[in-house]
Amino acid sequence: MRLQRLATRGLRNLAPGELHTDASFVVFSGLNAQGKTNALEAIWFLATLRPLRGFVVRDLIAWGEEEAAVGGTVDGHALKVMQGKSRRLFLEGQAVTQLSQYFGAVRAVAFSPSDEEVLRGEPRLRRQWLDRAAFTADPSHLDLVRAYHRALDQKRALLRSPDPVLLDVLDEQLARTGAAVAEARERMLSALEPHVTRYHRELSGDQAVVEPRYRTVAYGRSTADRTGALHDALQQARAEEVRRGMALVGPHRDEVRLLLDGRPARTWASRGQVRSLLLALKLAELQAARERGDAPLFLLDDLSSELDGDRTRRLVSILEGLGSQVFVTTTDPSHIQGLPEADTLHFSVREGQLSALPAAR
Amino acid sequence: MGNAPIDEAVAQLSRLPGIGRKTATRLVYWLLRSPTGTAATIGRALSALEGGVRECDTCCDFTDQIRCPICASGGREQGVVCVVEHPQDVRAFERSAGFRGRYHVLHGAISPLDGVGPAELRIRPLLERIRSDEIREVILATDPDVEGDATALYLARLLRGVGVRVTRIARGLAVGTEIEYADPASLSRALENRQEL
């Protein structure tokens, strides 16, 4: 997958304009607070319709603007998103009504230093990370997760004045969609498992074995088994759920764990291990995509702060092998060693202005 | 500014769904420029909705009769009832002209979040109808979203052991879709709901 052109207007501090980005590596360099990450923000928004960092969609719109627009050409297909009070999507100039149609045309994986929270923070963040990965692999995962959460919200509302037949109905829906959510998550983790230890080792020199584990009440060999298991668990929890007015059982409570030599990385991993582990997970995601015949865009924020020269060189060579187009931000491009300069585009970022730099430095 | 009839008309029109203050103002000025009698004609048509329109005794669709034309017609298959959420859904099925049975309009879908439970829907009239009429099959044609599915599952439970065939409309590919461009969710549903040839 190749982003050949990127155009933005009214997005954060970026000056309106268009960039040609048709290269395997695209580097945005500049001092802090100049808008480097906003360039990635634009690409991520185009690909996922979500902000990259922790803010809300509204914050993507520049000060004093009514609307932000990001357009791009991905593998020859023109995509555009316009975000004002509401959002409008275009594919080849036609308004898009079905989200999945849009997401069929573009996929992206991102790594940023703030992702540390995924490993360190509350379980919800790991479920969200895994759902994001499963969505990148199959956009219909989004519909599934949304349907599950909608049914969950309906159930929470119902628990205030429970009607037993209606609770049965909602639990049946939750068992069905919940089992599918759990199955997709577990499938995603299994696709990552064979690669994550290797990448972690290559990036950190650390020999530890990494095991991603998913703990769910919706377990089983087939979707039907999982549905049955979740349904039984819901039945057993019924009295307690009604008493406490809470939805206590289901994939919204499942646990994603990462074990480092058998111990939970959340509490045992050092800061350095957490970072290379996260990066390894993202690379594993790209490798799993590659095995499906896909190559999502890869967004790498603030690379210079992550790794030393040797490890950066190793990372670049891994990325070359993965075949994904890579977008990197850095304060100092000389930090990123081993880039194939003939296939790399450099942009400097200053006060929101992106300018192409000559190829050979 | 400060013209009481205009302000009142704008205020009333902007109560309608999808109509904001801006649109309401535009409509009011359009009416003022229209030939004399336009506003009155529209007003009469709207007043006739109250008192003139009621729910059909049989299927609960909106009608100006005791029984709607579809329920009153002798040419419709009596044994098959298609259950829908809204009167608009009846119009949609009728446009397709593929269905010769009759309808039942629930006037909504179960949604505890919005305070809509089974008691708020026309479920009791449906059950009475199934008990008294010669109904063989009930087709559940509520929307394919969480609320529509919940409503269909709920009705299916109520109708267990009543001795009617209960079916749910299929979901899958839209007519005219090319497989290559179909979205994955529709494609996997179409596969799930495949039929024997």
Side-chain angles (χ1 to χ4, degrees), chain A residues 145-160 170 174 247 252, chain B residues 111-114 146-147:
Chain A
V145 171
R146 281 192 175 164
Y148 178 75
H149 281 280
R150 179 77 188 168
L152 202 57
D153 287 341
Q154 292 288 11
K155 177 173 169 177
R156 287 179 178 131
L158 183 66
L159 281 169
R160 276 178 238 132
L170 284 174
L174 286 169
H252 62 294
Chain B
S111 176
L113 278 171
D114 302 304
V146 168
E147 293 75 22

Side-chain angles (χ1 to χ4, degrees), chain A residues 66-124:
Chain A
E66 294 276 307
E67 187 175 69
V70 183
T73 305
V74 180
D75 295 339
H77 299 290
L79 295 164
K80 188 171 178 180
V81 48
M82 297 171 84
Q83 178 74 50
K85 276 192 190 118
S86 61
R87 184 184 64 203
R88 284 171 296 155
L89 300 176
F90 301 89
L91 184 56
E92 309 288 17
Q94 303 280 321
V96 174
T97 46
Q98 283 269 329
L99 268 183
S100 41
Q101 198 189 351
Y102 182 89
F103 289 133
V106 61
R107 286 164 294 288
V109 172
F111 173 80
S112 85
S114 62
D115 285 349
E116 214 172 295
E117 275 299 297
V118 168
L119 268 185
R120 294 276 196 214
E122 48 183 316
R124 179 178 53 89

Side-chain angles (χ1 to χ4, degrees), chain A residues 258-330:
Chain A
L258 286 156
L259 303 177
L260 208 55
D261 275 341
R263 294 187 292 204
R266 185 184 183 186
T267 43
W268 284 89
S270 70
R271 196 181 169 87
Q273 278 176 318
V274 164
R275 292 196 168 185
S276 70
L277 192 52
L278 276 168
L279 193 49
L281 281 170
K282 304 285 174 163
L283 294 174
E285 205 181 323
L286 293 176
Q287 175 60 30
R290 190 180 158 79
E291 284 164 8
R292 293 190 306 270
D294 195 10
L297 310 175
F298 186 42
L299 278 49
L300 202 45
D301 192 19
D302 198 7
L303 182 61
S304 34
S305 72
E306 297 300 314
L307 304 165
D308 62 23
D310 250 13
R311 281 168 188 171
T312 311
R313 206 174 321 214
R314 238 173 287 157
L315 173 62
V316 169
S317 96
I318 294 171
L319 288 171
E320 274 187 289
L322 284 169
S324 277
Q325 187 184 17
V326 182
F327 296 85
V328 192
T329 68
T330 182

Side-chain angles (χ1 to χ4, degrees), chain B:
Chain B
M1 283 285 96
N3 186 313
I6 292 180
D7 291 348
E8 176 63 11
V10 168
Q12 292 305 325
L13 283 176
S14 50
R15 290 172 64 179
L16 296 171
I19 296 196
R21 229 181 146 74
K22 232 169 170 173
T23 310
T25 309
R26 203 163 53 226
L27 291 173
V28 167
Y29 281 103
W30 180 85
L31 284 168
L32 287 170
R33 278 193 307 271
S34 303
T36 319
T38 308
T41 311
I42 293 172
R44 272 195 301 280
L46 293 178
S47 314
L49 290 176
E50 267 181 40
V53 176
R54 61 193 299 283
E55 287 180 18
C56 168
D57 269 1
T58 308
C59 72
C60 303
D61 192 3
F62 287 134
T63 175
D64 56 353
Q65 314 283 315
I66 292 168
R67 292 185 92 200
C68 74
I70 293 174
C71 288
S73 159
R76 309 285 297 211
E77 207 182 319
Q78 304 289 309
V80 184
V81 173
C82 177
V83 179
V84 297
E85 289 181 22
H86 306 287
Q88 304 89 289
D89 303 338
V90 173
R91 309 286 97 80
F93 274 108
E94 286 299 287
R95 272 197 302 279
S96 80
F99 181 63
R100 296 304 302 155
R102 295 190 295 169
Y103 298 94
H104 190 87
V105 181
L106 295 171
H107 290 274
I110 294 173
S111 176
L113 278 171
D114 302 304
V116 180
E120 277 69 41
L121 304 175
R122 309 296 187 274
I123 290 177
R124 191 177 302 221
L126 174 65
L127 297 180
E128 280 164 14
R129 216 178 144 181
I130 291 166
R131 235 168 268 134
S132 54
D133 288 3
E134 299 280 293
I135 287 167
R136 287 179 282 110
E137 178 175 359
V138 174
I139 304 169
L140 300 171
T142 49
D143 289 343
D145 53 15
V146 168
E147 293 75 22
D149 278 339
T151 309
L153 285 169
Y154 182 83
L155 289 174
R157 274 170 198 253
L158 286 190
L159 297 175
R160 249 180 223 166
V162 174
V164 288
R165 182 169 178 228
V166 179
T167 54
R168 177 92 172 102
I169 49 164
R171 32 167 97 177
L173 293 179
V175 174
T177 314
E178 287 178 51
I179 301 270
E180 183 187 354
Y181 298 111
D183 65 277
S186 303
L187 215 50
S188 60
R189 275 182 195 150
L191 210 54
E192 244 170 63
N193 296 314
R194 66 189 181 276
Q195 290 167 358
E196 207 79 52
L197 278 180

